[in-house]
């Protein structure tokens, strides 16, 4: 009951054609010798050395980026908050107008 039933392969009916690709003989090649390792050359790029001035400039640029991104995110949050507050005020006004219509 719990054993899977594996289907049997159906036997081919009709004319059976041979495979289109004929097997060919295997040709063995002699392996090529491994290349001799070459001594590493001088690096293509010069090494970047940070002076105190460039380090200070990098810190200043990073601080400026963080401040700008923070200001943008805070302004987006403020815009969402103002929009939500205005929608809430509109809902309260509409609700009071509709309640006044039902009382009359």
């Amino acid at each position: 009951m719990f054993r899977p039933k594996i289907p049997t392969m159906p036997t081919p009916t009709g004319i059976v054609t041979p495979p289109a690709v004929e097997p060919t003989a295997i040709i063995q090649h002699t392996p090529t010798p491994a290349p001799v390792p070459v001594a590493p050359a001088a690096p293509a790029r010069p090494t970047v050395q940070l002076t105190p001035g460039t380090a200070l400039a990098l810190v200043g640029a990073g601080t400026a980026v963080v401040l700008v991104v923070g200001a943008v995110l805070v302004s987006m949050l403020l815009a969402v908050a103002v929009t939500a507050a205005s929608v809430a005020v509109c809902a309260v006004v509409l609700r009071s107008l509709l309640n006044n219509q039902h009382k009359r």
Side-chain angles (χ1 to χ4, degrees), residues 10-41:
T11 57
T13 59
I15 301 172
V16 179
T17 57
V21 179
E22 295 285 330
T24 59
I26 299 173
I27 301 172
Q28 293 182 353
H29 296 284
T30 56
T32 57
V36 178
V38 180

Side-chain angles (χ1 to χ4, degrees), residues 3-104:
R3 292 185 185 161
K5 295 195 179 0
I6 300 172
T8 58
M9 289 293 293
T11 57
T13 59
I15 301 172
V16 179
T17 57
V21 179
E22 295 285 330
T24 59
I26 299 173
I27 301 172
Q28 293 182 353
H29 296 284
T30 56
T32 57
V36 178
V38 180
R45 296 185 289 175
T47 306
V48 177
Q49 294 182 355
L50 292 177
T51 62
T54 56
L56 188 62
L58 285 174
V59 168
T63 304
V65 167
V66 167
L67 289 177
V68 167
V69 169
V72 168
L73 290 177
V74 167
S75 64
M76 288 172 63
L77 180 64
L78 183 62
V80 169
V82 167
T83 304
S86 65
V87 168
V89 168
C90 289
V92 168
V93 168
L94 284 174
R95 182 178 172 193
S96 66
L97 287 175
L98 290 174
N99 281 340
N100 286 339
Q101 290 291 331
H102 288 293
K103 289 180 181 179
R104 289 184 186 185

